[in-house]
Amino acid sequence: RIGWLDGVVIKEKEEENPQKEEGEKKKKKLPRRNVNLLEVGAINTQLLDAAARTKKVKTQDTTDTASLPTAQTENEDGDSIYKDIPVHKLTVRAIDLRSSHPGIETQDFLTLPLQSTRYD
């Protein structure tokens, strides 16, 4: 996947393994963090909907279910747990001067406190 919905790559120092030759370098999946997005003048809820989209994933580990931040359901057997995980690595705050949707905050962009590192 490519683009903002897949998150922002967290830069790490590249570790060199002296045992591997140059031709044998294996591509490693880079860790990603959520994209923090401020939508100003929100005219629709597509970005909010994309941030809220989840998928069910089956897990067999029932020991540490209390610490999971996602919704959980058991199947008929009672041993498998399905948890909802986010589809996209996206966090959205939508603001508008005159909002009629509950997910869009009524806020003036020019009165927001300056926080340069909060949003991408």
Side-chain angles (χ1 to χ4, degrees), residues 75-120:
N75 67 359
E76 304 84 43
D77 303 335
D79 57 352
S80 296
I81 291 185
Y82 294 85
K83 61 180 182 176
D84 291 332
I85 62 168
V87 173
H88 305 294
K89 291 188 172 285
L90 183 65
T91 305
V92 178
R93 179 181 179 193
I95 64 171
D96 200 352
L97 284 174
R98 286 180 254 141
S99 169
S100 59
H101 189 276
I104 301 173
E105 299 176 38
T106 302
Q107 176 76 44
D108 185 1
F109 172 71
L110 298 175
T111 62
L112 281 177
L114 182 62
Q115 298 173 343
S116 61
T117 59
R118 185 169 179 189
Y119 301 107
D120 296 313

Side-chain angles (χ1 to χ4, degrees), residues 6-17:
D6 198 27
V8 177
V9 175
I10 300 172
K11 295 183 180 181
E12 292 183 345
K13 293 181 181 179
E14 191 173 318
E15 297 178 8
E16 292 292 328
N17 190 346

